[in-house]
């Protein structure tokens, strides 16, 4: 059992001022994985003070030197791949084979990539009689989720440090152990005191202090839209910069000339990744009404291949959800969908046979879902696909856009130019054309209530920089 009883503040492991603890449970068997401290407001304020004290010196550190620290952190994480994989399999429920590639391999890649970017980025440029410079925004409060814990931490902390910002991190209390391992790696890398600080606890306590504190210059939050609204509300009182990556209800639009088998298989893959615990999951599949029966048969056949298993086993394709609360949430949505008239094509709300322990849910497909149904409008965050029919292309676009969210999506067509034309009409941050692969250098973020700001590559780096213009007196002609 892992037990952490200290926070990492100002380059040291310090005893929390708060006396509470939080339990963390294994997704596969519901057994206690360990405990972490429940931070108090005073712990968070101490971390902010340390970050504020370190801010100016870190901002003045040459970019190449900052890059050197990032590379050491990348190497430290890579050296602990097996430990991190075991930890995050337990925390999230993602099968360990995928965890190594996505949950560990992704962060190692990004730490190295942001080191490169720190060295190559042009921090200043002449524009007429002005010198336009890019400066670090300052102290960053990073609040991160449990579904891709280390990756989402990395996409905030790595570019912030590369840009010259100092950071206070509050990871999810559901999946916190990877953050403590990162702090250990950062300590070993010799990062100056106060540049990175870790405090764990609950959102209404630690998160609220980060959002409202006047010495925090920016809050970068990934999580639910409900919590993101609260972060924005609190942060507005000090007019700090806010970046939000929130919920999604992404539509996979299957046009009438698409390869149906490929579209159904690709949509299910995009829906069920990480057991559906993905904000950009393609959870609505829009299909021509005339092809519904074909799609239904294909979906029923394809979903059978997503066999459940212990996520610690190398051969498992679909694991459990991250918590008992998440399992209950997903089961409730499935029941709601059926009560509102959806057709059950596969799965259901009952506990899968043989998986009574742990937080398992059957991979589910609901058919004949209406566009205004609860399961078509609200984020479920589980392995549940809703099939919605449409009459023509314009109707498909209308339904795809009939959402408060706009994070991801897909278009499938035998004519790529047609797919692109439809994709341009969908108000969402990313659209996969015929199953196009996720690009870690392209901007990731959403429209509407999916948030604002972007992560990945140079786009995520620039989120942590301010513009400053220095005007010079023009020479007389």
């Amino acid at each position: 059992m892992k037990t952490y009883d200290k926070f990492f503040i100002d380059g040291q492991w310090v005893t929390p001022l708060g006396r509470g603890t939080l339990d963390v449970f294994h997704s596969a068997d519901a057994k206690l994985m360990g405990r972490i401290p429940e931070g108090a407001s005073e712990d968070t304020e101490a971390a902010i003070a340390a970050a504020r004290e370190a801010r100016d010196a870190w901002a003045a550190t040459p970019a190449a030197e900052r890059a050197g620290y990032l590379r050491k952190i990348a190497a430290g994480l890579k050296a602990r791949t097996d430990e991190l994989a075991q930890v995050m399999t337990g925390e999230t429920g993602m099968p360990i084979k995928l965890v190594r590639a996505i949950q560990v391999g992704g962060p190692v890649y990004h730490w190295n990539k942001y080191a490169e970017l720190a060295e190559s980025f042009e921090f200043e440029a002449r524009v007429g009689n002005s010198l336009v410079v890019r400066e670090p925004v300052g102290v960053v409060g990073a609040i991160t989720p449990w579904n891709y814990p280390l990756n989402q931490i990395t996409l905030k902390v790595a570019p912030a440090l590369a840009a010259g910002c100092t950071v206070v991190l509050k990871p999810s209390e559901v999946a916190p152990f990877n953050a403590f391992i990162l702090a250990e790696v950062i300590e070993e890398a010799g990062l100056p005191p106060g540049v990175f600080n870790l405090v764990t606890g609950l959102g209404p306590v630690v998160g609220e202090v980060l959002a409202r504190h006047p010495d925090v210059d920016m809050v970068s939050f990934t999580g639910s839209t409900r919590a993101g609204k609260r972060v924005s509300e609190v942060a507005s009182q000090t007019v700090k910069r806010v970046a939000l990556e929130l919920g999604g209800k992404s539509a996979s639009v299957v046009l009438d000339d698409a390869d149906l088998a490929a579209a159904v298989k690709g949509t299910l893959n995009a829906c069920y990744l990480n057991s559906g615990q993905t904000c950009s999951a393609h959870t609505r599949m829009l299909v021509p009404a005339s092809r519904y029966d074909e799609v239904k048969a294909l979906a029923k056949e394809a979903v059978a291949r997503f066999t459940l298993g212990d996520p610690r086993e190398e051969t498992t394709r679909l694991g459990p959800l991250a918590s008992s609360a998440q399992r209950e949430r997903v089961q409730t949505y499935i029941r709601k969908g059926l009560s509102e008239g959806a057709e059950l094509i596969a799965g259901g709300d009952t506990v899968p046979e043989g998986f009574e322990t742990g937080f398992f849910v059957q991979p589910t497909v609901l058919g004949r879902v209406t566009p205004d149904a609860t399961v078509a409008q609200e984020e479920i965050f589980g392995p549940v696909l809703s099939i919605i029919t449409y009459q023509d292309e314009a109707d498909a676009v209308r339904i795809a856009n009939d959402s408060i969210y706009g994070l991801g999506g897909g278009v499938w067509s035998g004519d790529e130019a047609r797919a692109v034309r439809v994709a341009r009409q969908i108000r969402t941050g990313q659209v996969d054309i015929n199953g196009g692969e996720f690009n870690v250098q392209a901007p990731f973020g959403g429209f509407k209530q999916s948030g604002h700001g972007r992560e990945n590559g140079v786009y995520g780096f620039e989120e942590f920089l301010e513009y400053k213009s220095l005007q010079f007196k023009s020479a007389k002609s």
Side-chain angles (χ1 to χ4, degrees):
M1 187 174 82
K2 282 186 171 291
T3 299
Y4 290 97
D5 59 2
K6 289 181 171 60
F7 295 138
F8 189 68
I9 297 175
D10 203 19
Q12 303 177 68
W13 291 97
V14 300
T15 301
L17 298 172
R19 297 182 175 233
T21 60
L22 298 168
D23 292 341
V24 182
F25 298 94
H26 200 289
S27 58
D29 55 21
K31 291 181 179 177
L32 186 67
M33 283 182 71
R35 292 189 176 92
I36 59 168
E38 181 180 356
S41 297
E42 294 81 1
D43 295 305
T44 315
E45 289 166 356
I48 293 169
R52 178 67 177 234
E53 180 67 25
R55 183 188 66 180
D56 294 345
W58 182 245
T61 300
E65 190 174 332
R66 297 200 298 263
Y69 286 113
L70 267 65
R71 288 195 175 91
K72 288 180 182 178
I73 293 166
L77 291 174
K78 186 175 182 179
R80 298 179 72 169
T81 292
D82 290 342
E83 179 186 4
L84 283 164
Q86 290 291 341
V87 163
M88 285 189 282
T89 291
E91 291 174 326
T92 69
M94 180 181 276
I96 194 162
K97 188 175 181 179
L98 290 174
V99 168
R100 286 196 198 96
I102 298 172
Q103 305 269 25
V104 183
V108 169
Y109 170 86
H110 286 297
W111 279 98
N112 278 317
K113 207 66 182 174
Y114 279 115
E116 291 179 19
L117 195 52
E119 292 174 326
S120 63
F121 189 79
E122 293 186 7
F123 286 91
E124 55 185 58
R126 288 301 297 246
V127 179
N129 70 310
S130 298
L131 180 66
V132 178
V133 299
R134 308 298 302 275
E135 295 185 353
V137 70
V139 176
V140 174
I143 304 173
T144 57
W146 47 261
N147 58 335
Y148 292 87
L150 185 58
N151 193 67
Q152 295 311 114
I153 289 170
T154 295
L155 289 176
K156 299 181 190 306
V157 178
L161 296 182
C165 300
T166 56
V167 176
V168 178
L169 169 66
K170 191 211 91 67
S172 168
E173 66 277 10
V174 176
F177 296 135
N178 61 90
F180 282 91
I181 294 172
L182 172 63
E184 291 168 355
V185 167
I186 285 175
E187 181 184 29
E188 291 168 4
L191 203 66
V195 173
F196 171 84
N197 306 273
L198 170 67
V199 179
T200 54
L202 301 177
V205 180
V206 177
E208 290 260 336
V209 174
L210 287 174
R212 75 164 184 261
H213 202 288
D215 286 344
V216 174
D217 301 293
M218 174 181 176
V219 175
S220 181
F221 172 85
T222 298
S224 71
T225 295
R226 177 192 57 78
K229 289 177 180 178
R230 178 60 182 168
V231 168
S232 284
E233 178 185 355
V234 175
S236 69
Q237 299 307 303
T238 49
V239 201
K240 56 172 56 71
R241 181 182 294 189
V242 177
L244 301 174
E245 199 264 278
L246 308 176
K249 195 68 189 176
S250 302
S252 177
V253 180
V254 182
L255 298 176
D256 55 14
D257 61 348
D259 179 335
L260 288 188
V264 170
K265 180 181 177 181
T267 300
L268 281 172
N269 286 337
C271 180
Y272 289 169
L273 178 65
N274 199 18
S275 298
Q277 300 172 131
T278 302
C279 50
S280 57
H282 296 183
T283 54
R284 295 183 293 154
M285 184 162 66
L286 279 50
V287 305
S290 61
R291 310 292 296 274
Y292 174 75
D293 288 338
E294 293 174 74
V295 170
K296 173 182 171 180
L298 288 167
K300 192 166 187 175
E301 179 184 351
V303 77
R305 301 190 188 103
F306 287 87
T307 52
L308 290 169
D310 189 317
R312 293 165 290 196
E313 299 294 330
E314 295 288 341
T315 56
T316 294
R317 186 170 182 191
L318 195 66
L321 301 179
S323 67
S324 60
Q326 192 60 25
R327 178 185 58 190
E328 177 58 31
R329 171 189 171 91
V330 174
Q331 290 173 328
T332 298
Y333 270 114
I334 295 171
R335 289 191 286 269
K336 182 71 170 175
L338 295 173
S339 71
E340 291 183 353
E343 176 184 4
L344 183 63
I345 295 173
D349 67 313
T350 57
V351 175
E353 187 176 350
F355 294 94
E356 289 76 17
T357 59
F359 310 128
F360 290 88
V361 171
Q362 296 184 67
T364 297
V365 179
L366 301 176
R368 300 194 185 282
V369 175
T370 59
D372 61 349
T374 302
V375 292
Q377 291 293 324
E378 297 183 13
E379 186 176 42
I380 298 173
F381 230 57
V384 182
L385 176 68
S386 296
I387 301 178
I388 302 169
T389 61
Y390 65 85
Q391 297 304 313
D392 55 26
E393 186 179 296
D395 192 37
V397 171
R398 179 190 63 78
I399 294 170
N401 286 329
D402 181 21
S403 172
I404 64 171
Y405 300 111
L407 188 56
V411 179
W412 297 83
S413 173
D415 181 346
E416 187 173 286
R418 183 188 181 196
V420 170
R421 187 184 74 242
V422 171
R424 288 181 182 275
Q425 299 174 66
I426 300 174
R427 289 184 50 76
T428 188
Q430 301 82 36
V431 184
D432 303 337
I433 305 297
N434 289 326
E437 296 177 352
F438 185 76
N439 180 358
V440 295
Q441 292 304 306
F444 182 83
F447 289 23
K448 300 186 279 186
Q449 292 190 35
S450 286
H452 48 75
R454 293 295 183 266
E455 294 184 328
N456 283 346
V458 68
Y459 310 96
F461 183 74
E462 290 183 330
E463 289 288 331
F464 298 97
L465 295 171
E466 292 278 20
Y467 282 103
K468 177 184 285 184
S469 300
L470 308 179
Q471 275 67 250
F472 295 89
K473 188 176 179 66
S474 298
K476 292 182 179 180
S477 57

